Amino acid sequence: MTETPAKSKRALTKRATATAKTKTRKKNVPSPPAAVGSWEDDPATAVGLTVPTPNLSKLPLAFSFPAGGPPPAIYAQGTSQFRYWATAAALRRGADYWANRIPLTQWYGGPNLNVVLDTGFGLDATYDRTALNFFHGPGVTGTVFTCESPDVSCHEVGHAVLDAFKPGLWGAASQEVSAFHESFGDISALMSAIQIPSLRTAILSGSGGNLYTTSRLSRLAEQFGSALRAQDPGLAEADCLRNAVNSFNYQDPTTLPSAAPMSQLSSEPHSFSRIFTGAFFEILGVSLAAKAAIPGGPTEAELLAVADDLAGFLVQGVKCSPIAPNWYAQVAANMVIATQTDQTYASIAKGVFVGRSILSLHSVSSLPMMSNVKSLAAAAKSATAAREPLPLVALPASHYGIDGVLFVEAAAEPLNSIVSAAGFKAEPIDPPSAIAAARAFVDDLFMRGQIDYGAVVDPERRLVRNHKTKTHALVKADGGARLERRLFSCGLCARGVIH
């Protein structure tokens, strides 16, 4: 049957009305923005970045942000909405990077890690096993929000990742272990920044292809560093918080002062961390130059590939190493073993670790050959099996104001092999015993005012310094007290600065 003109007109009108309603409904349903604003590395460099909206609930390393956050969008820099998504983007990038390289199923405390964007007044950022806590404080040109810097937030992610991966390091009474936690945080910031193609290109272009030179990649947390220097010039390096390009060589931390200006080396964890961070970044720079297809002209893709390789060697080094007082030498030795699948990497890693005295010549020459990847995996499994918790040792404690003894977790896991750092004349140096290392570590904490006495020590017997952030606490125990770590703090402890 042929449709009449009148019926055809009514049908067309009906279809047009339905189409218009459908379009109206589609217009009224907002689609989520595809991107948010962030920084490439630090607010001080003022290089903005637009990234896809991060999935904060992504497993295995999910984040729980404060409820009622702003919807994803490109917000003006300097606003609270911008800080929210800038922090989210940086944290997601850092967590995703390590989740792809470490077989993690969740954070130490569970599938979600809380994020507190502004805990309160202070120049600090902390990780306490349940949350990443950021603060705000006075800066040179205005208020500094520590969450806003990807360098700072990805550093804190590094603490959380390492804790999930190697939880025995958390409570170890060892200066080197504590410093390595800070170094891993800085390496986390470096590796997370290298994931950004525009940053890789800019760094290589600005350095003429020489990665191991000071740049906005090597200069970590410039804004935070300037804020600390405004309080005390000795609390940060001259142009940033810490620079991965440095000339610090290994020294036995038990022979160093407990605190010193950042132009010098001390046993304070952030200060001492620069030895390992500098070695890692130097290996990265030399390896990139050696691996580049065009000598002197590495590409950003080559930088990404070499960085990924070294991150893998680092993960193997941490996984295979027993927790011991000479933790730096243990990790370095196992990194060298991991690199033996590639002679170029192996020669460079050995050269840098020996050059910085982290490993002695004798240790490098006597390392076992383990080029077989399966053998390395088996060693890693053996090294991490049934090694928690660390043994408790009792230290004399009357000089701390404690009645009885002080129980601490000693870095005293069984060693797989004997390795050592080197002295000033390249001679191997014997590491301190686990008890001596623990005593030096605890002495430092009391001298820097980082211990919460709680109800263990009477007020008249306490040592008081102007440091609000307490990384450790005393807990009553049979026979005396026990030392427990509360958190890792990004704020420097030197000279009793108020955070």
Side-chain angles (χ1 to χ4, degrees), residues 27-79:
K27 287 181 179 179
N28 291 335
V29 177
S31 58
V36 296
S38 184
W39 299 110
E40 277 194 347
D41 59 333
D42 189 78
T45 64
V47 180
L49 181 70
T50 300
V51 299
T53 301
N55 179 5
L56 296 174
S57 61
K58 182 180 178 181
L59 297 174
L61 301 179
F63 295 100
S64 293
F65 267 53
I74 306 296
Y75 293 102
Q77 296 171 355
T79 62

Side-chain angles (χ1 to χ4, degrees), residues 70-287:
I74 306 296
Y75 293 102
Q77 296 171 355
T79 62
S80 60
Q81 296 93 334
F82 175 85
R83 285 194 296 275
Y84 182 99
W85 287 109
T87 306
L91 293 179
R92 184 73 276 155
R93 182 170 63 249
D96 286 350
Y97 180 77
W98 293 113
N100 290 331
R101 285 155 185 83
I102 304 175
L104 296 173
T105 58
Q106 61 178 25
W107 301 106
Y108 176 84
N112 290 280
L113 182 62
N114 293 325
V115 178
V116 183
L117 295 172
D118 190 2
T119 305
F121 183 82
L123 290 174
D124 207 351
T126 67
Y127 164 69
D128 63 9
R129 283 194 152 177
T130 63
L132 304 180
N133 306 287
F134 300 97
F135 296 75
H136 74 274
V140 175
T141 60
T143 301
V144 169
F145 292 86
T146 58
C147 70
E148 189 172 354
S149 170
D151 284 348
V152 176
S153 54
C154 290
H155 172 99
E156 297 306 319
V157 165
H159 281 303
V161 166
L162 185 58
D163 191 28
F165 176 44
K166 195 86 167 181
L169 299 176
W170 173 263
S174 163
Q175 293 162 318
E176 288 195 24
V177 168
S178 184
F180 182 84
H181 235 287
E182 299 299 339
S183 178
F184 193 90
D186 283 353
I187 291 171
S188 176
L190 292 168
M191 295 294 100
S192 299
I194 289 174
Q195 301 314 296
I196 303 171
S198 57
L199 179 61
R200 297 197 300 270
T201 300
I203 294 302
L204 292 176
S205 175
S207 65
N210 179 18
L211 183 69
Y212 189 70
T213 187
T214 187
S215 66
R216 62 187 179 94
L217 174 62
S218 73
R219 293 190 298 267
L220 295 166
E222 293 99 317
Q223 185 189 63
F224 188 27
S226 66
L228 286 174
R229 283 194 306 276
Q231 294 193 16
D232 184 334
L235 291 176
E237 295 190 18
D239 53 2
C240 60
L241 183 61
R242 288 181 294 278
N243 199 322
V245 174
N246 63 63
S247 58
F248 293 112
N249 289 348
Y250 179 87
Q251 297 180 51
D252 181 351
T254 64
T255 67
L256 293 172
S258 64
M262 286 296 279
S263 58
Q264 304 170 25
L265 193 63
S266 75
S267 60
E268 194 280 323
H270 300 87
S271 177
F272 200 77
S273 73
R274 296 176 294 174
I275 299 170
F276 200 95
T277 305
F280 182 89
F281 197 62
E282 184 179 350
I283 294 171
L284 176 58
V286 178
S287 297

